[in-house]
C-alpha cells in the first residue's frame, strides 16, 4: 500500500455542503461540512472537505479528460459488431438517454438510427468512451455484470460494452471502483489545518424578482462559507501498488484543471465559489498554524507507525499516514526530478522544486528525495 498526501488551498469563498444541525454552532440556512472532534475536555467542529466530494471531483475531472482528450471516430464502427437484437435494445436506451439532452438544449432531436444517435452521444460526451464511463449515467456506467439479476438489463450492458469497446470495466472504474466492484483507493476527508481554528464567514443572499427588480419575498437565505487562504490536508491510500502511477496521473490532471480555473470544489462554482490550488506528492507546502508549522515535502510512502505529538492531527488521520509529510529546512534535502524522456533536474529547496515541476508539467516524471528528516 502507498500513501499519497494532498493539500488543497482555497482561493475564494468555498462551501462544501452538509446536512443536520449540531450543537448551536451555526445559524446559517446552508452550512458547510465539519468534523466533530473531542480531545479531553475540548470540543472542535473542524471545517472539512468530505472524502466523497474530493473523490467525486477527482473522478469526474479524469473522466472528462479521458473522454474528450481525443477524437477517434473509429469507435463508430463498433455499431456493426452488434447483432440486430443488440442494436434494438441499445437504441431504445440511447434514445431515452439523449432525450434528456434535448431538454438541456444540447441537441434538437434524437437521431433516427443507432449510428446517428451514437454519434450524437459521442459528440456531446466525448469519443474516449472506451477509456472512461460516466458513472452517473444509468446506461453508460460500468457495473459488475455478475450482480445484474434482470436478464434484459444484463443483455443491454453486455451490448453497450461491445459498442463502446471496453474490456468490462473502464480505466477509471478499475482504479476507483463502481457498482459491485470495490475500488483500490481509500480517501480520507480533507481537514482544515491552516489556519487553525478557521474563522468561518456567513453571507446573505436574496433572489431578485425579474419583473419588479426588487427583492423576492421569502427568498432571503444565509450560508456559511470558508474564506480564501485555508489549507486542507488529506490522504489517499492506494491499496494496490501498481496503480500508484495512475492515481498520481489523476491528481496531476485535477491540479492542472484547478490552476486553469476549469473546476471547483463545493457549490456555487459559477458564482465564484470553490476555486482552489492543489498540492500533490513531489511538491513542498508551507504551513503556519498551531497544528503544522514550517515547510513540508509531500512524499509517496508506505504506511509506517511514527510517534505523533500533534494531538488533534493524530485524532483525524491514522498515525501510519503522517510519515508522508516530511518537515524540512532549506539545504537539508536534494530533490531529483527525472522525466520520462531521461532529463534530470535537481532542486535544493522548495522554490527550485516548484520551478522545475512547472517546467516539466505535461510530461510524466518521477521525484526522488535525498536527505534526513526528523518528524516533528
Amino acid at each position: 500500500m502507498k500513501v499519497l498526501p494532498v493539500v488543497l488551498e482555497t482561493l475564494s469563498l468555498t462551501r462544501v455542503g452538509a446536512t443536520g444541525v449540531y450543537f448551536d454552532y451555526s445559524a446559517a440556512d446552508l452550512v458547510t461540512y465539519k468534523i466533530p472532534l473531542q480531545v479531553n475536555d475540548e470540543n472542535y467542529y473542524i471545517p472539512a472537505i468530505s472524502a466523497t466530494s474530493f473523490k467525486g471531483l477527482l473522478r469526474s475531472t479524469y473522466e472528462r479528460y479521458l473522454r474528450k482528450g481525443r477524437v477517434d471516430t473509429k469507435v463508430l464502427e463498433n455499431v456493426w459488431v452488434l447483432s440486430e437484437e443488440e442494436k434494438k435494445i441499445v437504441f431504445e436506451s440511447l434514445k431515452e438517454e439523449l432525450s434528456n439532452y434535448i431538454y438541456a438544449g444540447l441537441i434538437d432531436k434524437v437521431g433516427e438510427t443507432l449510428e446517428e444517435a451514437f454519434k450524437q452521444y459521442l459528440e456531446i460526451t466525448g469519443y474516449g468512451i472506451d477509456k472512461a464511463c460516466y458513472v452517473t449515467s444509468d446506461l453508460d456506467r460500468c457495473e459488475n455484470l455478475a450482480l445484474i439479476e434482470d436478464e434484459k438489463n444484463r443483455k443491454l450492458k453486455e451490448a453497450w460494452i461491445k459498442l463502446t469497446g471496453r474490456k468490462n470495466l473502464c480505466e477509471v472504474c478499475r482504479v476507483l471502483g463502481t457498482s459491485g466492484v470495490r475500488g483500490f483507493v481509500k480517501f480520507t476527508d480533507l481537514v482544515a489545518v491552516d489556519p487553525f481554528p478557521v474563522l468561518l464567514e456567513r453571507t446573505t443572499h436574496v433572489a431578485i424578482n425579474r419583473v419588479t427588480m426588487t427583492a423576492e419575498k421569502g427568498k432571503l437565505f444565509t450560508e456559511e462559507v470558508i474564506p480564501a487562504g485555508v489549507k486542507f490536508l488529506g490522504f489517499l491510500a492506494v491499496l494496490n501498488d501498481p496503480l500508484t502511477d495512475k492515481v498520481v496521473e489523476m491528481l496531476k490532471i485535477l491540479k492542472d484543471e484547478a490552476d486553469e480555473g476549469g473546476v471547483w470544489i463545493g457549490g456555487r462554482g459559477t458564482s465564484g465559489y470553490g476555486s482552489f490550488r492543489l498540492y500533490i506528492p513531489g511538491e513542498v507546502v508551507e504551513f503556519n498554524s498551531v497544528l503544522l508549522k514550517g515547510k513540508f515535502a509531500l512524499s509517496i510512502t508506505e504506511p509506517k507507525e511514527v510517534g505523533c505529538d500533534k494531538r488533534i492531527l493524530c485524532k483525524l488521520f491514522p498515525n501510519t499516514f503522517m510519515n508522508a509529510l516530511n518537515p524540512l529546512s532549506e539545504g537539508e534535502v536534494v530533490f531529483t526530478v527525472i522525466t520520462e524522456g531521461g532529463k534530470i533536474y535537481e532542486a535544493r529547496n522548495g522554490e527550485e522544486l516548484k520551478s522545475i515541476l512547472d517546467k516539466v508539467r505535461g510530461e510524466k516524471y518521477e521525484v526522488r528525495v535525498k536527505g534526513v528528516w526528523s518528524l516533528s
Side-chain angles (χ1 to χ4, degrees):
M1 183 169 78
K2 299 295 185 185
V3 177
L4 285 64
V6 292
V7 174
L8 185 150
E9 181 181 6
T10 58
L11 301 179
S12 66
L13 293 179
T14 299
R15 181 179 63 79
V16 180
T19 57
V21 177
Y22 41 85
F23 199 53
D24 190 19
Y25 188 78
S26 172
D29 298 310
L30 300 173
V31 297
T32 197
Y33 174 61
K34 302 178 198 69
I35 297 175
L37 178 67
Q38 184 173 18
V39 181
N40 298 328
D41 294 331
E42 299 175 350
N43 293 312
Y44 299 90
Y45 291 97
I46 308 172
I49 297 167
S50 67
T52 53
S53 294
F54 185 74
K55 179 182 179 181
L57 178 62
L58 180 67
R59 178 175 208 138
S60 61
T61 302
Y62 194 59
E63 283 174 353
R64 288 195 303 272
Y65 168 77
L66 292 178
R67 288 287 283 252
K68 298 198 173 186
R70 64 190 175 93
V71 177
D72 184 0
T73 58
K74 189 176 180 180
V75 69
L76 291 168
E77 298 174 8
N78 290 346
V79 170
W80 309 111
V81 177
L82 303 182
S83 67
E84 291 303 316
E85 181 185 0
E86 289 173 329
K87 288 180 182 179
K88 181 179 179 180
I89 59 175
V90 168
F91 190 32
E92 288 177 359
S93 295
L94 188 56
K95 284 191 293 184
E96 184 176 343
E97 181 95 2
L98 285 171
S99 65
N100 297 323
Y101 298 164
I102 295 176
Y103 299 115
L106 297 175
I107 58 175
D108 294 326
K109 63 177 183 177
V110 177
E112 296 181 358
T113 65
L114 175 58
E115 296 90 329
E116 292 176 0
F118 189 42
K119 184 176 182 180
Q120 283 180 313
Y121 187 73
L122 295 175
E123 291 288 342
I124 296 169
T125 66
Y127 277 83
I129 196 169
D130 60 321
K131 300 290 184 182
C133 73
Y134 278 150
V135 75
T136 55
S137 166
D138 289 339
L139 173 63
D140 193 33
R141 69 166 176 249
C142 297
E143 292 185 56
N144 185 340
L145 298 184
L147 299 180
I148 301 177
E149 297 181 355
D150 185 85
E151 184 179 356
K152 182 178 179 181
N153 286 338
R154 187 171 62 254
K155 286 184 176 180
L156 170 62
K157 283 295 182 180
E158 289 171 345
W160 185 254
I161 288 172
K162 289 172 64 175
L163 181 60
T164 59
R166 293 177 194 149
K167 297 178 180 178
N168 290 331
L169 298 178
C170 71
E171 292 184 12
V172 186
C173 291
R174 288 177 202 164
V175 179
L176 299 182
T178 184
S179 178
V181 179
R182 183 190 180 198
F184 288 99
V185 184
K186 177 182 178 181
F187 293 75
T188 70
D189 287 343
L190 277 66
V191 184
V193 296
D194 183 13
F196 189 89
V198 177
L199 298 179
L200 299 174
E201 300 285 348
R202 288 177 178 80
T203 60
T204 301
H205 304 273
V206 64
I208 301 299
N209 186 293
R210 295 320 193 248
V211 178
T212 65
M213 298 305 291
T214 58
E216 189 76 66
K217 185 178 179 181
K219 297 295 179 65
L220 183 73
F221 68 95
T222 59
E223 63 178 345
E224 183 181 58
V225 294
I226 301 161
V230 177
K231 292 187 176 79
F232 292 78
L233 170 67
F235 296 90
L236 283 67
V238 183
L239 307 179
N240 186 7
D241 286 3
L243 297 176
T244 302
D245 288 343
K246 175 64 74 173
V247 177
V248 171
E249 181 184 19
M250 293 180 182
L251 290 171
K252 287 178 181 177
I253 297 302
L254 178 58
K255 176 181 173 62
D256 290 344
E257 286 291 317
D259 289 345
E260 295 172 3
V263 295
W264 57 84
I265 190 76
R268 297 172 64 83
T270 56
S271 297
Y273 284 33
S275 298
F276 65 92
R277 178 183 295 116
L278 186 66
Y279 299 89
I280 64 176
E283 296 187 274
V284 173
V285 184
E286 185 169 5
F287 298 99
N288 188 24
S289 78
V290 296
L291 297 186
L292 289 169
K293 195 173 185 65
K295 293 184 178 180
F296 290 78
L298 305 183
S299 304
I300 299 174
T301 63
E302 294 183 355
K304 180 181 179 181
E305 189 72 37
V306 295
C308 184
D309 60 358
K310 308 292 186 184
R311 59 176 186 156
I312 294 178
L313 279 182
C314 297
K315 295 284 187 180
L316 296 169
F317 303 110
N319 283 356
T320 54
F321 287 9
M322 299 306 295
N323 68 322
L325 292 179
N326 293 291
L328 56 91
S329 299
E330 302 297 344
E332 283 188 346
V333 179
V334 176
F335 299 93
T336 303
V337 180
I338 306 172
T339 68
E340 190 176 41
K343 294 182 180 179
I344 300 176
Y345 304 88
E346 282 195 354
R348 296 186 178 274
N349 57 54
E351 290 301 318
E352 289 181 6
L353 178 61
K354 184 177 185 303
S355 176
I356 291 172
L357 294 179
D358 287 340
K359 185 183 299 184
V360 300
R361 179 174 296 177
E363 301 181 53
K364 288 187 176 181
Y365 60 83
E366 176 185 357
V367 179
R368 297 179 182 174
V369 188
K370 291 182 180 180
V372 178
W373 307 300
S374 58
L375 290 174
S376 60

